[in-house]
Amino acid sequence: MHNGTSITQFIIEEQRRIKGASGDFTSLLNDIVTACKVISGAVNKGALIGVLGSAESENVQGETQKKLDVISNDVFIKSNEWAGHLAGMASEEMDDVYKIPSQYPKGKYLLVFDPLDGSSNIDVNISVGTIFSILRAPEGVTDAKAEDFLQPGTQQVCAGFALYGPSTIMVLTTGNGVNGFTLDQSIGEFVLTHPNMKIPADTSEFAINASNQRFWEAPVQRYVEECLAGKTGPRGRNFNMRWVASMVAEVYRILTRGGIFMYPKDTKDPGKAGKLRLMYEANPMSFIVEQAGGASSTGRERIMDLQPEGLHQRVPVILGSKNEVEKVVSYHK
Ligand code: AHM
Ligand code: MG
């Protein structure tokens, strides 16, 4: 027996505070939690059940899919299509909107997700995770099209991610702070272990893929150079650096001890504004980070204010401890 609050209890108690809530949202969130537990199990068993390695297919962005990318996407669809809460789903691993099959009832929410973020790390046994965002379907829409999903991040009803690391952790926000839950494998339930997570406003830790340095713009060059100069440089203190190449792991670290994460605009591929995708990476993570007291920007504008132009649109991402994000933004002015 655990003595803490289970995620089920937590979600139901949140629902009670919302007047007139039908329970639809609670039930949707429960299905998402179940999907994450299934994915956690598959990730954990890895080579034992033959799920590592490439699926020998490509997704819409031309990235080679891993077997676990495809499996996780299927798990998310199967867990969430049947219950009648959704008018459509969209994911990193599917070119177009996933229509709810005709035999199932439709609902008022839209679900967008990255089924397995950081999948380049799967085969080397480094943390990966699932990111999701819930939006409301526009009034009267039961069979959502791509344009119905293109709502700014400020419209998100809920955002969360599961992190499959040494522990499996679920981080959630519904716009009322951020809470973290740890999966107790012995009872198969997430238990509230990190209530009201807050990102410290200041930090001496930054995360960026330095192999792209020659492609960065001047403001990011300046910021990183000043951090690297340490105690005798303009910042007057030493900075530490981390790069996991799993956004879920970086954001969790920042929620735990602060930090700044950057996948900025660069000139590596002039056709791409950044690497990370707005709808199922940048927006949900921005919602979580802001709810924990942090900030999130492209360097030029608040990410959650962006009007999305496509399901798989890429954006520059600079997020984390507020004062550092604001410093990088000020260098862009
Ligand atoms: P993915 O969704 O295909 O895994 O890509 C997103 C990941 C992020 O988790 C991470 O921050 C970034 O890509 C790492 O990119 P890089 O390999 O260029 O350092
Ligand atoms: Mg991803």
Side-chain angles (χ1 to χ4, degrees):
M1 261 306 275
H2 68 86
N3 299 315
T5 306
S6 74
I7 200 165
T8 315
Q9 180 185 348
F10 181 88
I11 301 169
I12 291 173
E13 287 183 352
E14 285 258 295
Q15 180 199 320
R16 284 195 192 128
R17 293 189 304 107
I18 306 164
K19 257 209 163 111
S22 64
D24 252 21
F25 174 72
T26 303
S27 170
L28 168 60
L29 215 45
N30 265 320
D31 292 341
I32 292 172
V33 167
T34 303
C36 292
K37 286 187 210 170
V38 175
I39 298 170
S40 174
V43 168
N44 183 257
K45 291 188 193 85
L48 294 174
I49 53 170
V51 294
L52 300 187
S54 164
E56 270 147 39
S57 54
E58 273 192 1
N59 65 14
V60 63
Q61 6 233 337
E63 299 161 344
T64 308
Q65 291 176 305
K66 301 278 186 178
K67 282 185 199 160
L68 268 171
D69 282 325
V70 177
I71 293 168
S72 305
N73 196 62
D74 287 350
V75 167
F76 236 70
I77 286 174
K78 290 283 165 287
S79 301
N80 289 294
E81 67 180 353
W82 60 275
H85 309 307
L86 295 175
M89 291 187 243
S91 129
E92 177 173 328
E93 305 305 336
M94 298 183 289
D95 304 11
D96 302 314
V97 170
Y98 179 82
K99 279 168 72 98
I100 305 300
S102 55
Q103 71 264 37
Y104 299 126
K106 312 289 184 297
K108 59 184 178 223
Y109 294 107
L110 303 175
L111 178 59
V112 200
F113 56 97
D114 177 355
L116 206 57
D117 182 58
S119 40
S120 71
N121 284 322
I122 295 171
D123 298 343
V124 291
N125 201 27
I126 288 173
S127 301
V128 289
T130 301
I131 310 172
F132 64 90
S133 162
I134 301 173
L135 296 159
R136 277 197 189 80
E139 201 58 40
V141 170
T142 52
D143 234 329
K145 307 208 163 27
E147 57 263 32
D148 298 318
F149 285 79
L150 304 182
Q151 308 175 29
T154 49
Q155 298 299 311
Q156 293 172 101
V157 177
C158 171
F161 67 88
L163 174 64
Y164 314 118
S167 302
T168 290
I169 303 251
M170 173 75 75
V171 173
L172 272 186
T173 186
T174 52
N176 181 32
V178 178
N179 291 283
F181 304 81
T182 305
L183 181 61
D184 183 340
Q185 305 277 4
S186 64
I187 55 167
E189 179 67 296
F190 282 99
V191 179
L192 180 63
T193 45
H194 296 72
N196 198 20
M197 300 182 89
K198 289 283 173 225
I199 300 174
D202 291 300
T203 182
S204 296
E205 195 163 70
F206 68 99
I208 192 163
N209 183 341
S211 73
N212 294 323
Q213 188 194 348
R214 66 194 183 283
F215 304 113
W216 299 339
E217 295 185 317
V220 172
Q221 296 281 5
R222 173 180 170 195
Y223 177 79
V224 172
E225 199 178 293
E226 290 181 358
C227 290
L228 293 176
K231 215 171 162 54
T232 54
R235 300 301 307 274
R237 65 182 198 270
N238 294 328
F239 278 74
N240 190 24
M241 198 200 78
R242 285 286 181 273
W243 187 250
V244 191
S246 253
M247 194 192 198
V248 279
E250 322 274 5
V251 171
Y252 191 72
R253 185 186 62 247
I254 290 170
L255 284 165
T256 311
R257 67 178 190 209
I260 180 169
F261 166 92
M262 293 176 279
Y263 216 117
K265 183 169 191 287
D266 63 31
T267 56
K268 195 174 183 178
D269 179 347
K272 291 178 186 164
K275 172 170 184 190
L276 299 173
R277 276 58 52 114
L278 176 60
M279 298 297 296
Y280 40 80
E281 292 173 329
N283 267 342
M285 289 311 205
S286 299
F287 192 18
I288 291 167
V289 164
E290 286 195 11
Q291 282 294 315
S296 180
S297 170
T298 63
R300 294 179 168 86
E301 58 260 286
R302 181 186 177 212
I303 287 181
M304 288 210 291
D305 283 337
L306 296 174
Q307 172 57 51
E309 285 161 8
L311 274 183
H312 302 287
Q313 176 182 351
R314 295 173 192 262
V315 289
V317 175
I318 297 165
L319 59 74
S321 292
K322 199 167 186 172
N323 292 339
E324 291 302 304
V325 173
E326 280 171 4
K327 186 171 272 297
V328 182
V329 169
S330 75
Y331 287 0
H332 282 79
K333 287 194 169 127

